[in-house]
Amino acid sequence: MAQVLEFRLPDLGEGLTEATIVRWLVEVGDVVAVDQTVVEVETAKAMVDVPCPYGGVVTARFGEEGAELPVGEPLLTVAVGAAASGESDEGSGNVLVGYGTAAPPARRGRVRPSSVTGAPASRAPGTPTGTRTGVSADAGSVVAAANGGRELGRAGDGPAARSGDGDHPVADGRYGPGRDGHDRPADGGRSGVAVIGDGPVPVMSPLVRRLARENGVDLRELEGSGPDGLILRADVEYALRAAATGQVRTPAAAEPRRAPAVGHGAVAPIGAPLTQHRPGGADAPHGTRIPLRGVRGAVADKLSRSRREIPDATCWVDADATELMQARAAMNSAGGPKISLLALLARICTAALARHPELNSTVDMEAREVVQLDQVHLGFAAQTERGLVVPVVRDAHARGAESLSAEFARLTEAARTGTLTPRELTGGTFTLNNYGVFGVDGSTPIINHPEAAMLGVGRIVPKPWVHQGELAVRQVVQLSLTFDHRVCDGGTAGGFLRHVADCVEQPAVLLRTL
């Protein structure tokens, strides 16, 4: 007899908590093999192919393309066993980051290393070592839930509907305490229709129910816009906007359902897009709200945290890059792989960090320690159609110009195509920001938290310059260093930037080792 197993969105690592469905690769009724990629998702860091650990027949998909799902929410269900396919129903055992395919459900959220195992936590591959380091672990697992031969999502003989993870009772009458203190069904809460008050409400996500609960929205009064009347997060958000602005719309067919207002006694009908009005009358500015999601949302969170936590300062200097440009041209005319300007700047950066290791560090305020790192994992800012990303060149200090050029080219192409992995986007210790490609001379960039510094490079342009006692037209660049004032004083930062400028102006001593 076939067994229906549920495959949930796995923990994709790096602290990611949700992902957006980009493209389904299977349809309901398709036969899938163990470890076959079934969906492409986009996280705040990269595009990820998600393989299914079960082989069998796809019986349901959860979420349309473009929908955002939290980690742990169902992706699809698969009927496995003799009646479905010849694949084993035990799962492949292969995992994504922090995600097991055969383990029982583990608690979600970040777990201290000491609570995962009694042994000391080990350093993850690629983590820069230093004076002191530590790691944390994320718990995640797959839930394999058989449904007694019934179609998944049905409660008794009622209509099929998808409930959440058990924050509320279900229609089959079996209850048990949930994680948050609410009743939950004894079968795990996935095989019924959520009941709120005295009526069943088809709600897909516990996040939707929590959003409604926290804002006083009665889900029984909402009409879901999802499949089979499923109430989505957008439906609750619409109800909140309608209640807050008091907007109304004449219904096309029937009296619209109403949602209680937030913060006052009036109610507003819902069920159609609102004409947005702002407090302040007709003269108040109007605009469009754009959700901070995906890469844009991750960038917003990280930059905000950097501004909150890091007391940064910036120093800058102009440098004559004429000899650096001539040296690069000579290297490339000699044959062999082409050397990029970014690679030469990166090589200069790592040499300067060797002299001033304070800037290749991070701050642990809980321990009140500055952690100087042994390896230089060099991030570089790359603007893509998806937004700003910072790929990381591992062990940049150990690479020559050719190796750096090749790695920059590979990571830049992966950034353009959206195929960077989470590992290629994390773990940086210092960032090189070449904003000269945008045609600007200078900037005061925000440090890429939790790093301690960022070197900015402006455009290289012909300018009047005093060279060997005479006025001449030279190739001039502005260099800027933004640094965390907790790790060093201005003298160290100035010394680092001055060494970078000296190498730009007289690169011969460095080029011998490239």
Side-chain angles (χ1 to χ4, degrees):
M1 187 178 206
Q3 184 182 31
V4 178
L5 301 181
E6 184 178 82
F7 176 47
R8 300 191 177 201
L9 179 65
D11 174 9
L12 301 172
E14 307 297 344
L16 301 172
T17 58
E18 65 272 326
T20 299
I21 297 174
V22 175
R23 183 164 65 105
W24 281 105
L25 303 178
V26 295
E27 302 285 345
V28 174
D30 286 355
V31 176
V32 297
V34 171
D35 289 339
Q36 176 180 333
T37 300
V38 293
V39 65
E40 293 177 356
V41 300
E42 181 182 31
T43 71
K45 297 182 180 292
M47 296 283 288
V48 180
D49 293 336
V50 179
C52 179
Y54 308 115
V57 177
V58 177
T59 59
R61 296 188 325 193
F62 299 93
E64 300 298 323
E65 293 180 356
E68 187 176 77
L69 291 182
V71 168
E73 282 295 296
L75 271 177
L76 51 78
T77 55
V78 180
V80 300
S85 72
E87 300 284 355
S88 169
D89 62 359
E90 295 181 354
S92 63
N94 293 338
V95 297
L96 294 176
V97 178
Y99 189 77
T101 61
R107 69 178 186 177
R108 289 169 58 186
R110 192 166 295 278
V111 180
R112 296 177 181 272
S114 60
S115 67
V116 177
T117 175
S122 61
R123 183 172 58 87
T127 301
T129 58
T131 305
R132 184 190 56 75
T133 188
V135 299
S136 61
D138 288 289
S141 65
V142 70
V143 177
N147 202 35
R150 293 181 293 151
E151 179 184 346
L152 192 73
R154 292 187 178 272
D157 296 326
R162 287 165 283 181
S163 74
D165 66 352
D167 287 352
H168 296 279
V170 292
D172 60 6
R174 293 181 292 172
Y175 306 94
R179 291 191 304 271
D180 57 1
H182 292 274
D183 288 337
R184 67 181 297 162
D187 63 354
R190 301 305 312 178
S191 59
V193 180
V195 173
I196 301 177
D198 56 1
V201 179
V203 182
M204 175 179 180
S205 168
L207 295 180
V208 175
R209 295 198 300 276
R210 184 176 66 185
L211 179 65
R213 185 168 61 245
E214 291 176 351
N215 290 279
V217 174
D218 188 347
L219 291 175
R220 293 170 298 178
E221 298 297 323
L222 301 189
E223 185 171 319
S225 61
D228 300 322
L230 193 69
I231 297 176
L232 306 179
R233 179 173 181 172
D235 300 321
V236 178
E237 291 174 342
Y238 178 84
L240 294 174
R241 292 197 304 271
T245 59
Q247 299 305 304
V248 299
R249 186 183 82 99
T250 302
E255 178 68 15
R257 296 177 182 265
R258 294 176 178 265
V262 179
H264 54 80
V267 295
I270 64 172
L274 289 172
T275 301
Q276 186 70 34
H277 291 276
R278 303 286 184 193
D283 294 334
H286 294 242
T288 301
R289 289 178 175 261
I290 302 173
L292 284 174
R293 295 176 179 170
V295 172
R296 187 71 261 165
V299 169
D301 292 339
K302 196 157 192 176
L303 296 184
S304 297
R305 182 177 183 183
S306 179
R307 274 292 190 230
R308 286 194 307 269
E309 297 184 10
I310 298 178
D312 59 351
T314 302
C315 54
W316 56 89
V317 67
D318 289 341
D320 180 0
T322 304
E323 291 191 21
L324 180 67
M325 301 298 287
Q326 292 173 349
R328 175 176 175 251
M331 295 172 70
N332 287 337
S333 64
K338 299 296 183 182
I339 303 300
S340 69
L341 178 62
L342 190 62
L344 295 181
L345 293 170
R347 188 67 186 87
I348 292 172
C349 237
T350 58
L353 287 173
R355 289 193 171 203
H356 303 278
E358 298 93 335
L359 294 169
N360 190 55
S361 62
T362 187
V363 177
D364 185 345
M365 287 302 295
E366 290 187 5
R368 302 193 67 80
E369 295 175 342
V370 174
V371 185
Q372 291 188 12
L373 305 169
D374 297 334
Q375 297 135 305
V376 178
H377 296 335
L378 187 66
F380 66 100
Q383 191 70 39
T384 71
E385 292 182 356
R386 299 173 59 241
L388 178 69
V389 294
V390 185
V392 177
V393 176
R394 302 276 166 176
D395 298 316
H397 62 288
R399 295 176 182 263
E402 286 188 6
S403 174
L404 287 168
S405 295
E407 188 66 355
F408 280 131
R410 184 187 72 81
L411 292 172
T412 299
E413 180 60 26
R416 288 197 185 103
T417 58
T419 56
L420 288 167
T421 66
R423 185 176 185 273
E424 291 169 334
L425 284 164
T426 54
T429 65
F430 187 93
T431 295
L432 176 60
N433 188 354
N434 180 20
Y435 44 74
V437 297
F438 301 116
V440 298
D441 295 322
S443 174
T444 55
I446 300 175
I447 294 173
N448 188 21
H449 184 280
E451 298 170 13
M454 176 185 294
L455 178 68
V457 182
R459 61 177 179 164
I460 301 176
V461 293
K463 288 185 178 180
W465 191 267
V466 176
H467 176 64
Q468 296 180 350
E470 296 183 356
L471 187 64
V473 176
R474 305 286 286 181
Q475 300 292 319
V476 179
V477 61
Q478 184 180 99
L479 306 169
S480 62
L481 176 71
T482 298
F483 64 99
D484 186 340
H485 227 312
R486 296 173 298 179
V487 304
C488 69
D489 295 325
T492 300
F496 172 92
L497 189 59
R498 187 65 255 171
H499 183 70
V500 170
D502 290 343
C503 291
V504 167
E505 294 184 339
Q506 299 175 337
V509 66
L510 282 175
L511 295 179
R512 290 185 305 177
T513 63
L514 299 181

